[in-house]
Amino acid sequence: MVDIFLWVIGILLAFQFILLVGLIIWKTRTLSADQKLQLEVERLLPQYRKVIKGTLTEQPELPAGVQFQAAVIERILDILMSEAEPIDEKLKVAELAEENLSTYYKKVLKKGKWAERINALYFIEDFRMFSLREGVELHFKGLRKQDEEYRQSLRASAILQNPMVIDVLVGNRMLSVAFIKEILFRLDENLLTDLSQRMALKDNASENLLFAFLTINGEQKNKLFFPFVEKMMLDERKEVRIKAMKSLCNYEKLEDPSKLSAFFKSEFWEERMYAAKLTGACGLNEFKESLIELFSDPVWWVRFAAAENIYGLEDGTGLLKHIGATSEDAYARDIAKHMLTRKGGESQ
Amino acid sequence: MSGLWSTILEAGSWTIIIYMLSANLIYLGMFLVAGPKINREKKLNRLEQIEEMMINKDTYPVSVLVPAYNEEAGVSSTVQSLLSLNYPQFEVIVVNDGSTDLTSEKLIEPFQMAPIELATRSYFKTGKLKKAYQSKLYPNLFLIEKENGGKADALNAGINFSHYPYFAAIDGDSVLEKDALLKTVKPIIDSGGKVTATGGTVRIANGCKINNGVIEKVQLPKRSLEIMQIIEYFRSFLIGRLGFSRANILLIISGAFGVFEKSRVIKVGGYNPDTVGEDMELIVRIHRSIKDEKSDQRIEYIQDPVCWTEAPSTIASLRTQRIRWQRGLAETIWIHRKMLFNPKYKGIGMFSMPYFLFFELLSALFEVMGYAIIISGLLFSVVDTEIIVVMLLVMILYGSLLSSLAVLLEEWTYHKYPERKSIVVLFIYALTETFWYRILMNFWRVQGIIVAITKKSVWGDMERQGVFSKEEGI
């Protein structure tokens, strides 16, 4: 019996010893590879800077070994892309990426491990490698799980303006608003127009897609779709109205302010809150009294929004002082005083 | 008579051997669940992954709550590190929970804090708020002073005061890495809100070179006690939590650093001030409410984000901490005993809770009994020597193997310790764990159970070495 256990402990100790030796070898190799990579990057970066600036016409010679070469040039181009200011410099970085990395990335997408494929997709997106548009699409179509690889393939396809993305957005009802927004931000005006037409033609697109579309237009202050967003403010669905109002806060514009009046008395606190926010964002002095009434709203968020947005109106500070000193409502007095000392509730 | 005793002791010995082998196998199973995920992601470019979140308007604003009780040594560094976080929109709220030292003063002067009027919501009743301040230098930094009510009470007060839909709770003696908050919030954003709470990896800062709240060089500390805690943290986070998280049965998000959906926490009633294990108790309550509602929300652990914290460096302070942890665990299991073996709570009721009861709470009792059997067996020869040898071997294997594997996972993921020497040191310490560290832990954990039963408060403040206050530039 003891013999068996002695064997077991012997095997385990041997296993741990092998593990230790393996780890030391692994660590040594990793440290030396990192150092080698760092040295090559430091050596070649200044020369590549000259290539980007146009003061050097020939590309410097890269070190041997496909994988090491790819790692070096990837690191250099990543640094250069973040430094590049004029658009032609960025184009030059993209051109160098196409020249040096497209074959390698094609291979990684076909045969690489999960993390390597995702890293490749990140850089295809960063370097705008249009030659890989079809390759990424093919790769995307072969995916079975909707994990980070699925999302990153879609992001890369969107930045490469692949119309396939529109089909996915309209067809996949499981995508979150935040993720759809990420995709929409990458699309150019032509594809966004296509999408809006698809959404208008077929009413079966997910609500998330509509929400994301409303939101990004506000965030980008996209004039083309302003009438669409303003119209949605009066949609029959509460969530759509709220998203439209939120978007209009970003536009800081309302063609027809009379549409807002009813929202101050809405049964939904979110609508009352956005009425306050929109009043502040668009500087609608005609709703000053309505805003003051919201200081006594039963919902804290509404009171807070009213107090925060009164600053956008004429003599906002004066009004707050007046409410803080004279209001019969203790809540209203508190929130007004709080806001005065917090300088408009600014948190960042 | 001696024959009867011998039979009883032998039966007891075999029970303990089987028990410990089971515990070992379960933990090994968790390694097999966690290992492939870490292996798969080990080469992932984590910077690229979060790059866009910095400018994305959907990166939810977060209120960072820092409960502080007598944290004059480290609070300034903690705040400094939080203010330099890579995150698009956040506020930092330090809740001074009736400190008797200079915690407030350490913030008021350097950060130019000016008094503000208070108009907070009251989701929860808390100790009375006395004063609030806002920094003139950083408008997103606030300080609230309140009457002492404990950590849970301070966090509840912070939630009442906070303005954003998500909050992060961080200890006053911890610092976050620059991207930690972005990485912790990422699963929440990716899941479209399906993830309701996330926790990241916590590391021990003792021994590291720190400057202005930033870890500049990761180094191992000199003291054995601190090194053993480093190994213990690797094992607990990289194997235990990751394993549980993958099955959505994670019961702990470390009090040192976690991010929560505020509405969910409000719905379940906030932190419970009646237990010293408020962090675990909250997570169990959130799981309970998720299951009661039949919601598909999840609680996740992310192996990447790193929060550096100060570990106890003396026997006395470590003992204090461990007794407290054990008491917190016992109280949480007792409060939620109805979930135990209750199929309604699925994996939580059928696996996590029993695991925590039998292998985290009661294991110390079994192991201490094992020591007693080994010693009595050796002294009085009442137990077969073979069995004693087997028990010893099981204990050694139990202690060292998983710790060594945890060191491997650390190297696969972050290899934060830049020298080869550190691996050897960690490995050797992992092998010695059973002979001293584990014995100490087990005795303190048994004391923790006794304290939980007797409700005796035997601890005061935890003595701190102040690793963050010794840093350069402060």
Side-chain angles (χ1 to χ4, degrees), chain B residues 87-115:
Chain B
Y87 203 82
Q89 197 181 5
F90 67 100
E91 60 181 1
V92 178
I93 301 164
V94 180
V95 186
N96 183 351
D97 189 36
S99 296
T100 51
D101 67 354
L102 299 175
T103 299
S104 282
E105 286 75 2
K106 291 282 173 187
L107 296 175
I108 289 172
E109 210 187 300
F111 296 104
Q112 294 185 26
M113 312 289 292

PDB file of all heavy atoms in Angstrom, chain B residues 87-115:
ATOM      1  N   TYR B  87     -10.234  55.493 -18.543  1.00  0.00           N
ATOM      2  CA  TYR B  87     -11.672  55.222 -18.612  1.00  0.00           C
ATOM      3  C   TYR B  87     -12.368  56.512 -19.036  1.00  0.00           C
ATOM      4  O   TYR B  87     -12.033  57.581 -18.525  1.00  0.00           O
ATOM      5  CB  TYR B  87     -12.198  54.739 -17.250  1.00  0.00           C
ATOM      6  CG  TYR B  87     -13.467  53.943 -17.394  1.00  0.00           C
ATOM      7  CD1 TYR B  87     -13.429  52.598 -17.737  1.00  0.00           C
ATOM      8  CD2 TYR B  87     -14.716  54.556 -17.251  1.00  0.00           C
ATOM      9  CE1 TYR B  87     -14.587  51.867 -17.915  1.00  0.00           C
ATOM     10  CE2 TYR B  87     -15.874  53.838 -17.426  1.00  0.00           C
ATOM     11  CZ  TYR B  87     -15.811  52.497 -17.755  1.00  0.00           C
ATOM     12  OH  TYR B  87     -16.966  51.787 -17.946  1.00  0.00           O
ATOM     13  N   PRO B  88     -13.327  56.412 -19.965  1.00  0.00           N
ATOM     14  CA  PRO B  88     -13.872  57.658 -20.509  1.00  0.00           C
ATOM     15  C   PRO B  88     -14.650  58.508 -19.507  1.00  0.00           C
ATOM     16  O   PRO B  88     -14.510  59.722 -19.487  1.00  0.00           O
ATOM     17  CB  PRO B  88     -14.775  57.199 -21.654  1.00  0.00           C
ATOM     18  CG  PRO B  88     -14.956  55.744 -21.504  1.00  0.00           C
ATOM     19  CD  PRO B  88     -13.814  55.231 -20.694  1.00  0.00           C
ATOM     20  N   GLN B  89     -15.478  57.897 -18.679  1.00  0.00           N
ATOM     21  CA  GLN B  89     -16.258  58.723 -17.740  1.00  0.00           C
ATOM     22  C   GLN B  89     -16.444  57.984 -16.419  1.00  0.00           C
ATOM     23  O   GLN B  89     -17.045  56.912 -16.383  1.00  0.00           O
ATOM     24  CB  GLN B  89     -17.629  59.064 -18.340  1.00  0.00           C
ATOM     25  CG  GLN B  89     -18.278  60.219 -17.617  1.00  0.00           C
ATOM     26  CD  GLN B  89     -19.655  60.573 -18.162  1.00  0.00           C
ATOM     27  OE1 GLN B  89     -20.174  59.884 -19.042  1.00  0.00           O
ATOM     28  NE2 GLN B  89     -20.245  61.616 -17.646  1.00  0.00           N
ATOM     29  N   PHE B  90     -15.937  58.576 -15.369  1.00  0.00           N
ATOM     30  CA  PHE B  90     -16.085  57.941 -14.057  1.00  0.00           C
ATOM     31  C   PHE B  90     -15.973  58.990 -12.967  1.00  0.00           C
ATOM     32  O   PHE B  90     -15.497  60.102 -13.198  1.00  0.00           O
ATOM     33  CB  PHE B  90     -15.027  56.850 -13.861  1.00  0.00           C
ATOM     34  CG  PHE B  90     -13.610  57.366 -13.773  1.00  0.00           C
ATOM     35  CD1 PHE B  90     -12.979  57.525 -12.547  1.00  0.00           C
ATOM     36  CD2 PHE B  90     -12.900  57.688 -14.918  1.00  0.00           C
ATOM     37  CE1 PHE B  90     -11.675  57.995 -12.455  1.00  0.00           C
ATOM     38  CE2 PHE B  90     -11.601  58.162 -14.843  1.00  0.00           C
ATOM     39  CZ  PHE B  90     -10.984  58.319 -13.619  1.00  0.00           C
ATOM     40  N   GLU B  91     -16.473  58.634 -11.795  1.00  0.00           N
ATOM     41  CA  GLU B  91     -16.294  59.488 -10.624  1.00  0.00           C
ATOM     42  C   GLU B  91     -15.715  58.618  -9.507  1.00  0.00           C
ATOM     43  O   GLU B  91     -15.961  57.416  -9.459  1.00  0.00           O
ATOM     44  CB  GLU B  91     -17.628  60.104 -10.186  1.00  0.00           C
ATOM     45  CG  GLU B  91     -18.673  59.077  -9.813  1.00  0.00           C
ATOM     46  CD  GLU B  91     -20.015  59.682  -9.393  1.00  0.00           C
ATOM     47  OE1 GLU B  91     -20.159  60.899  -9.400  1.00  0.00           O
ATOM     48  OE2 GLU B  91     -20.920  58.897  -9.057  1.00  0.00           O
ATOM     49  N   VAL B  92     -14.930  59.237  -8.653  1.00  0.00           N
ATOM     50  CA  VAL B  92     -14.345  58.515  -7.523  1.00  0.00           C
ATOM     51  C   VAL B  92     -14.978  59.061  -6.249  1.00  0.00           C
ATOM     52  O   VAL B  92     -14.975  60.271  -6.023  1.00  0.00           O
ATOM     53  CB  VAL B  92     -12.817  58.708  -7.478  1.00  0.00           C
ATOM     54  CG1 VAL B  92     -12.219  57.990  -6.267  1.00  0.00           C
ATOM     55  CG2 VAL B  92     -12.164  58.205  -8.758  1.00  0.00           C
ATOM     56  N   ILE B  93     -15.568  58.159  -5.473  1.00  0.00           N
ATOM     57  CA  ILE B  93     -16.218  58.600  -4.232  1.00  0.00           C
ATOM     58  C   ILE B  93     -15.540  57.885  -3.060  1.00  0.00           C
ATOM     59  O   ILE B  93     -15.664  56.673  -2.908  1.00  0.00           O
ATOM     60  CB  ILE B  93     -17.727  58.269  -4.247  1.00  0.00           C
ATOM     61  CG1 ILE B  93     -18.405  58.957  -5.440  1.00  0.00           C
ATOM     62  CG2 ILE B  93     -18.385  58.672  -2.936  1.00  0.00           C
ATOM     63  CD1 ILE B  93     -19.781  58.413  -5.767  1.00  0.00           C
ATOM     64  N   VAL B  94     -14.808  58.648  -2.262  1.00  0.00           N
ATOM     65  CA  VAL B  94     -14.176  58.059  -1.080  1.00  0.00           C
ATOM     66  C   VAL B  94     -15.151  58.234   0.079  1.00  0.00           C
ATOM     67  O   VAL B  94     -15.649  59.334   0.322  1.00  0.00           O
ATOM     68  CB  VAL B  94     -12.843  58.763  -0.748  1.00  0.00           C
ATOM     69  CG1 VAL B  94     -12.194  58.132   0.478  1.00  0.00           C
ATOM     70  CG2 VAL B  94     -11.894  58.706  -1.932  1.00  0.00           C
ATOM     71  N   VAL B  95     -15.459  57.143   0.750  1.00  0.00           N
ATOM     72  CA  VAL B  95     -16.382  57.224   1.886  1.00  0.00           C
ATOM     73  C   VAL B  95     -15.575  57.023   3.161  1.00  0.00           C
ATOM     74  O   VAL B  95     -15.121  55.917   3.455  1.00  0.00           O
ATOM     75  CB  VAL B  95     -17.490  56.153   1.782  1.00  0.00           C
ATOM     76  CG1 VAL B  95     -18.517  56.354   2.898  1.00  0.00           C
ATOM     77  CG2 VAL B  95     -18.155  56.178   0.422  1.00  0.00           C
ATOM     78  N   ASN B  96     -15.359  58.111   3.869  1.00  0.00           N
ATOM     79  CA  ASN B  96     -14.622  58.020   5.132  1.00  0.00           C
ATOM     80  C   ASN B  96     -15.594  57.564   6.219  1.00  0.00           C
ATOM     81  O   ASN B  96     -16.454  58.315   6.660  1.00  0.00           O
ATOM     82  CB  ASN B  96     -14.015  59.392   5.465  1.00  0.00           C
ATOM     83  CG  ASN B  96     -13.187  59.325   6.732  1.00  0.00           C
ATOM     84  OD1 ASN B  96     -13.185  58.322   7.445  1.00  0.00           O
ATOM     85  ND2 ASN B  96     -12.482  60.406   7.030  1.00  0.00           N
ATOM     86  N   ASP B  97     -15.410  56.323   6.629  1.00  0.00           N
ATOM     87  CA  ASP B  97     -16.374  55.701   7.540  1.00  0.00           C
ATOM     88  C   ASP B  97     -16.005  55.964   8.999  1.00  0.00           C
ATOM     89  O   ASP B  97     -15.680  55.054   9.752  1.00  0.00           O
ATOM     90  CB  ASP B  97     -16.395  54.185   7.250  1.00  0.00           C
ATOM     91  CG  ASP B  97     -17.520  53.485   7.986  1.00  0.00           C
ATOM     92  OD1 ASP B  97     -18.600  54.067   8.124  1.00  0.00           O
ATOM     93  OD2 ASP B  97     -17.306  52.338   8.427  1.00  0.00           O
ATOM     94  N   GLY B  98     -16.037  57.239   9.368  1.00  0.00           N
ATOM     95  CA  GLY B  98     -15.770  57.618  10.762  1.00  0.00           C
ATOM     96  C   GLY B  98     -14.355  57.311  11.214  1.00  0.00           C
ATOM     97  O   GLY B  98     -14.143  56.879  12.360  1.00  0.00           O
ATOM     98  N   SER B  99     -13.381  57.511  10.325  1.00  0.00           N
ATOM     99  CA  SER B  99     -11.984  57.222  10.693  1.00  0.00           C
ATOM    100  C   SER B  99     -11.546  58.066  11.886  1.00  0.00           C
ATOM    101  O   SER B  99     -12.009  59.204  12.066  1.00  0.00           O
ATOM    102  CB  SER B  99     -11.046  57.546   9.523  1.00  0.00           C
ATOM    103  OG  SER B  99     -11.323  56.704   8.449  1.00  0.00           O
ATOM    104  N   THR B 100     -10.638  57.499  12.670  1.00  0.00           N
ATOM    105  CA  THR B 100     -10.124  58.246  13.817  1.00  0.00           C
ATOM    106  C   THR B 100      -8.722  58.791  13.519  1.00  0.00           C
ATOM    107  O   THR B 100      -8.096  59.405  14.362  1.00  0.00           O
ATOM    108  CB  THR B 100     -10.062  57.329  15.067  1.00  0.00           C
ATOM    109  OG1 THR B 100      -9.379  56.133  14.702  1.00  0.00           O
ATOM    110  CG2 THR B 100     -11.453  56.997  15.565  1.00  0.00           C
ATOM    111  N   ASP B 101      -8.239  58.516  12.311  1.00  0.00           N
ATOM    112  CA  ASP B 101      -6.915  59.038  11.950  1.00  0.00           C
ATOM    113  C   ASP B 101      -7.069  60.185  10.935  1.00  0.00           C
ATOM    114  O   ASP B 101      -8.124  60.814  10.862  1.00  0.00           O
ATOM    115  CB  ASP B 101      -6.024  57.912  11.393  1.00  0.00           C
ATOM    116  CG  ASP B 101      -6.534  57.388  10.067  1.00  0.00           C
ATOM    117  OD1 ASP B 101      -7.632  57.821   9.631  1.00  0.00           O
ATOM    118  OD2 ASP B 101      -5.849  56.559   9.451  1.00  0.00           O
ATOM    119  N   LEU B 102      -6.063  60.418  10.125  1.00  0.00           N
ATOM    120  CA  LEU B 102      -6.091  61.584   9.235  1.00  0.00           C
ATOM    121  C   LEU B 102      -6.521  61.216   7.802  1.00  0.00           C
ATOM    122  O   LEU B 102      -6.064  61.835   6.846  1.00  0.00           O
ATOM    123  CB  LEU B 102      -4.707  62.225   9.205  1.00  0.00           C
ATOM    124  CG  LEU B 102      -4.197  62.745  10.543  1.00  0.00           C
ATOM    125  CD1 LEU B 102      -2.770  63.237  10.417  1.00  0.00           C
ATOM    126  CD2 LEU B 102      -5.088  63.869  11.060  1.00  0.00           C
ATOM    127  N   THR B 103      -7.389  60.225   7.667  1.00  0.00           N
ATOM    128  CA  THR B 103      -7.804  59.792   6.323  1.00  0.00           C
ATOM    129  C   THR B 103      -8.325  60.976   5.493  1.00  0.00           C
ATOM    130  O   THR B 103      -7.900  61.174   4.346  1.00  0.00           O
ATOM    131  CB  THR B 103      -8.878  58.694   6.433  1.00  0.00           C
ATOM    132  OG1 THR B 103      -8.317  57.593   7.130  1.00  0.00           O
ATOM    133  CG2 THR B 103      -9.346  58.230   5.070  1.00  0.00           C
ATOM    134  N   SER B 104      -9.242  61.776   6.052  1.00  0.00           N
ATOM    135  CA  SER B 104      -9.814  62.902   5.292  1.00  0.00           C
ATOM    136  C   SER B 104      -8.753  63.940   4.958  1.00  0.00           C
ATOM    137  O   SER B 104      -8.657  64.411   3.825  1.00  0.00           O
ATOM    138  CB  SER B 104     -10.932  63.575   6.086  1.00  0.00           C
ATOM    139  OG  SER B 104     -12.093  62.810   6.007  1.00  0.00           O
ATOM    140  N   GLU B 105      -7.954  64.241   5.961  1.00  0.00           N
ATOM    141  CA  GLU B 105      -6.932  65.286   5.764  1.00  0.00           C
ATOM    142  C   GLU B 105      -5.960  64.908   4.641  1.00  0.00           C
ATOM    143  O   GLU B 105      -5.472  65.765   3.908  1.00  0.00           O
ATOM    144  CB  GLU B 105      -6.137  65.524   7.058  1.00  0.00           C
ATOM    145  CG  GLU B 105      -6.896  66.290   8.130  1.00  0.00           C
ATOM    146  CD  GLU B 105      -7.946  65.466   8.843  1.00  0.00           C
ATOM    147  OE1 GLU B 105      -8.079  64.259   8.538  1.00  0.00           O
ATOM    148  OE2 GLU B 105      -8.666  66.025   9.686  1.00  0.00           O
ATOM    149  N   LYS B 106      -5.687  63.598   4.524  1.00  0.00           N
ATOM    150  CA  LYS B 106      -4.764  63.136   3.482  1.00  0.00           C
ATOM    151  C   LYS B 106      -5.321  63.379   2.080  1.00  0.00           C
ATOM    152  O   LYS B 106      -4.619  63.273   1.089  1.00  0.00           O
ATOM    153  CB  LYS B 106      -4.473  61.639   3.652  1.00  0.00           C
ATOM    154  CG  LYS B 106      -3.651  61.319   4.867  1.00  0.00           C
ATOM    155  CD  LYS B 106      -2.171  61.620   4.647  1.00  0.00           C
ATOM    156  CE  LYS B 106      -1.400  61.442   5.946  1.00  0.00           C
ATOM    157  NZ  LYS B 106      -0.011  61.856   5.854  1.00  0.00           N
ATOM    158  N   LEU B 107      -6.618  63.657   2.015  1.00  0.00           N
ATOM    159  CA  LEU B 107      -7.234  63.930   0.714  1.00  0.00           C
ATOM    160  C   LEU B 107      -7.562  65.407   0.536  1.00  0.00           C
ATOM    161  O   LEU B 107      -7.392  65.975  -0.534  1.00  0.00           O
ATOM    162  CB  LEU B 107      -8.520  63.111   0.552  1.00  0.00           C
ATOM    163  CG  LEU B 107      -8.362  61.578   0.532  1.00  0.00           C
ATOM    164  CD1 LEU B 107      -9.720  60.915   0.487  1.00  0.00           C
ATOM    165  CD2 LEU B 107      -7.539  61.143  -0.669  1.00  0.00           C
ATOM    166  N   ILE B 108      -8.060  66.026   1.615  1.00  0.00           N
ATOM    167  CA  ILE B 108      -8.587  67.394   1.508  1.00  0.00           C
ATOM    168  C   ILE B 108      -7.527  68.373   0.992  1.00  0.00           C
ATOM    169  O   ILE B 108      -7.779  69.121   0.050  1.00  0.00           O
ATOM    170  CB  ILE B 108      -9.179  67.857   2.863  1.00  0.00           C
ATOM    171  CG1 ILE B 108     -10.476  67.073   3.122  1.00  0.00           C
ATOM    172  CG2 ILE B 108      -9.467  69.358   2.859  1.00  0.00           C
ATOM    173  CD1 ILE B 108     -11.077  67.268   4.493  1.00  0.00           C
ATOM    174  N   GLU B 109      -6.353  68.311   1.589  1.00  0.00           N
ATOM    175  CA  GLU B 109      -5.334  69.286   1.191  1.00  0.00           C
ATOM    176  C   GLU B 109      -4.739  69.020  -0.203  1.00  0.00           C
ATOM    177  O   GLU B 109      -4.834  69.865  -1.083  1.00  0.00           O
ATOM    178  CB  GLU B 109      -4.253  69.365   2.259  1.00  0.00           C
ATOM    179  CG  GLU B 109      -3.637  70.751   2.305  1.00  0.00           C
ATOM    180  CD  GLU B 109      -2.456  70.753   3.235  1.00  0.00           C
ATOM    181  OE1 GLU B 109      -2.641  70.459   4.425  1.00  0.00           O
ATOM    182  OE2 GLU B 109      -1.339  71.045   2.748  1.00  0.00           O
ATOM    183  N   PRO B 110      -4.192  67.809  -0.419  1.00  0.00           N
ATOM    184  CA  PRO B 110      -3.547  67.614  -1.737  1.00  0.00           C
ATOM    185  C   PRO B 110      -4.498  67.698  -2.919  1.00  0.00           C
ATOM    186  O   PRO B 110      -4.099  68.090  -4.010  1.00  0.00           O
ATOM    187  CB  PRO B 110      -2.917  66.221  -1.633  1.00  0.00           C
ATOM    188  CG  PRO B 110      -3.484  65.583  -0.432  1.00  0.00           C
ATOM    189  CD  PRO B 110      -3.976  66.648   0.465  1.00  0.00           C
ATOM    190  N   PHE B 111      -5.748  67.315  -2.719  1.00  0.00           N
ATOM    191  CA  PHE B 111      -6.687  67.316  -3.855  1.00  0.00           C
ATOM    192  C   PHE B 111      -7.614  68.542  -3.844  1.00  0.00           C
ATOM    193  O   PHE B 111      -8.574  68.604  -4.605  1.00  0.00           O
ATOM    194  CB  PHE B 111      -7.509  66.023  -3.862  1.00  0.00           C
ATOM    195  CG  PHE B 111      -6.660  64.795  -4.091  1.00  0.00           C
ATOM    196  CD1 PHE B 111      -6.333  63.951  -3.035  1.00  0.00           C
ATOM    197  CD2 PHE B 111      -6.179  64.487  -5.343  1.00  0.00           C
ATOM    198  CE1 PHE B 111      -5.541  62.824  -3.233  1.00  0.00           C
ATOM    199  CE2 PHE B 111      -5.385  63.364  -5.559  1.00  0.00           C
ATOM    200  CZ  PHE B 111      -5.063  62.533  -4.507  1.00  0.00           C
ATOM    201  N   GLN B 112      -7.322  69.480  -2.940  1.00  0.00           N
ATOM    202  CA  GLN B 112      -8.128  70.712  -2.816  1.00  0.00           C
ATOM    203  C   GLN B 112      -9.613  70.415  -2.785  1.00  0.00           C
ATOM    204  O   GLN B 112     -10.379  70.840  -3.656  1.00  0.00           O
ATOM    205  CB  GLN B 112      -7.783  71.668  -3.958  1.00  0.00           C
ATOM    206  CG  GLN B 112      -6.369  72.189  -3.874  1.00  0.00           C
ATOM    207  CD  GLN B 112      -6.070  73.230  -4.946  1.00  0.00           C
ATOM    208  OE1 GLN B 112      -6.963  73.914  -5.440  1.00  0.00           O
ATOM    209  NE2 GLN B 112      -4.807  73.341  -5.296  1.00  0.00           N
ATOM    210  N   MET B 113     -10.022  69.675  -1.776  1.00  0.00           N
ATOM    211  CA  MET B 113     -11.430  69.305  -1.647  1.00  0.00           C
ATOM    212  C   MET B 113     -12.198  70.459  -0.977  1.00  0.00           C
ATOM    213  O   MET B 113     -11.785  70.952   0.070  1.00  0.00           O
ATOM    214  CB  MET B 113     -11.600  68.052  -0.779  1.00  0.00           C
ATOM    215  CG  MET B 113     -10.711  66.873  -1.106  1.00  0.00           C
ATOM    216  SD  MET B 113     -11.092  66.028  -2.635  1.00  0.00           S
ATOM    217  CE  MET B 113     -12.634  65.284  -2.316  1.00  0.00           C
ATOM    218  N   ALA B 114     -13.310  70.862  -1.597  1.00  0.00           N
ATOM    219  CA  ALA B 114     -14.136  71.931  -1.017  1.00  0.00           C
ATOM    220  C   ALA B 114     -15.500  71.347  -0.636  1.00  0.00           C
ATOM    221  O   ALA B 114     -16.024  70.493  -1.342  1.00  0.00           O
ATOM    222  CB  ALA B 114     -14.307  73.039  -2.041  1.00  0.00           C
ATOM    223  N   PRO B 115     -16.081  71.825   0.488  1.00  0.00           N
ATOM    224  CA  PRO B 115     -17.374  71.268   0.920  1.00  0.00           C
ATOM    225  C   PRO B 115     -18.472  71.505  -0.114  1.00  0.00           C
ATOM    226  O   PRO B 115     -18.497  72.543  -0.775  1.00  0.00           O
ATOM    227  CB  PRO B 115     -17.681  72.036   2.206  1.00  0.00           C
ATOM    228  CG  PRO B 115     -16.416  72.683   2.601  1.00  0.00           C
ATOM    229  CD  PRO B 115     -15.595  72.872   1.376  1.00  0.00           C
TER     230      PRO B 115
END
